[in-house]
């Protein structure tokens, strides 16, 4: 695993939680969303992240048949909301420190 990837995986997880707090999300949608922000995330990276966030209790999922294919939709849990809020506070502190000139 490259150094950049290790750094950005945390950012990606927070980004996923943020979007899941706004509305239900699904894998391909999040790959596209993250691409808009300059992240190249493959399905082989995205789906294990979604599954681990669900396993850890930060997301919950439901399945829906969409044009003959089963799509898994994710939404944030109260545990996910809590970690997202804590992350926001830490991000603000870090941003203030890193961006201070």
């Amino acid at each position: 695993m490259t150094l950049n990837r290790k750094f950005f995986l945390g950012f990606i997880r927070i980004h996923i939680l943020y979007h899941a707090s706004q509305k239900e999300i699904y894998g391909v949608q999040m790959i596209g969303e993250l691409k808009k922000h300059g992240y190249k995330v493959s399905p082989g990276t995205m789906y294990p992240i979604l599954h681990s966030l669900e396993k850890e209790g930060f997301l919950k999922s439901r399945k829906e048949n969409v044009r003959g294919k089963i799509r898994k939709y994710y939404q944030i849990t109260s545990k996910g909301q809590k970690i997202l809020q804590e992350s926001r506070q830490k991000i603000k502190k870090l941003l203030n420190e890193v961006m201070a000139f």
Side-chain angles (χ1 to χ4, degrees):
M1 183 179 290
T2 66
L3 185 59
N4 284 351
R5 186 163 184 247
K6 285 181 183 179
F7 276 111
F8 293 131
L9 282 176
F11 297 158
I12 289 167
R13 290 170 63 93
I14 293 168
H15 209 106
I16 289 169
L17 287 178
Y18 168 74
H19 281 281
S21 76
Q22 301 299 300
K23 62 180 181 178
E24 284 188 319
I25 60 166
Y26 57 96
V28 173
Q29 171 195 21
M30 282 309 303
I31 290 171
E33 176 62 33
L34 289 166
K35 187 176 182 180
K36 292 179 195 175
H37 297 283
Y39 296 98
K40 288 183 182 179
V41 181
S42 70
T45 298
M46 177 57 66
Y47 291 103
I49 291 172
L50 289 169
H51 295 156
S52 71
L53 287 169
E54 183 174 25
K55 186 177 180 182
E56 294 164 19
F58 300 124
L59 294 176
K60 63 181 177 179
S61 67
R62 70 175 180 84
K63 294 177 181 175
E64 185 176 313
N65 188 321
V66 179
R67 293 186 287 271
K69 294 185 178 182
I70 300 299
R71 179 181 290 165
K72 209 170 185 183
Y73 288 93
Y74 295 88
Q75 65 183 89
I76 200 164
T77 62
S78 59
K79 184 178 177 182
Q81 287 281 8
K82 184 177 180 193
I83 197 72
L84 179 60
Q85 187 57 37
E86 290 174 16
S87 297
R88 283 179 169 146
Q89 292 169 0
K90 291 186 184 303
I91 289 167
K92 282 180 187 178
K93 287 180 183 178
L94 178 62
L95 191 60
N96 288 336
E97 189 173 318
V98 171
M99 298 305 290
F101 288 86

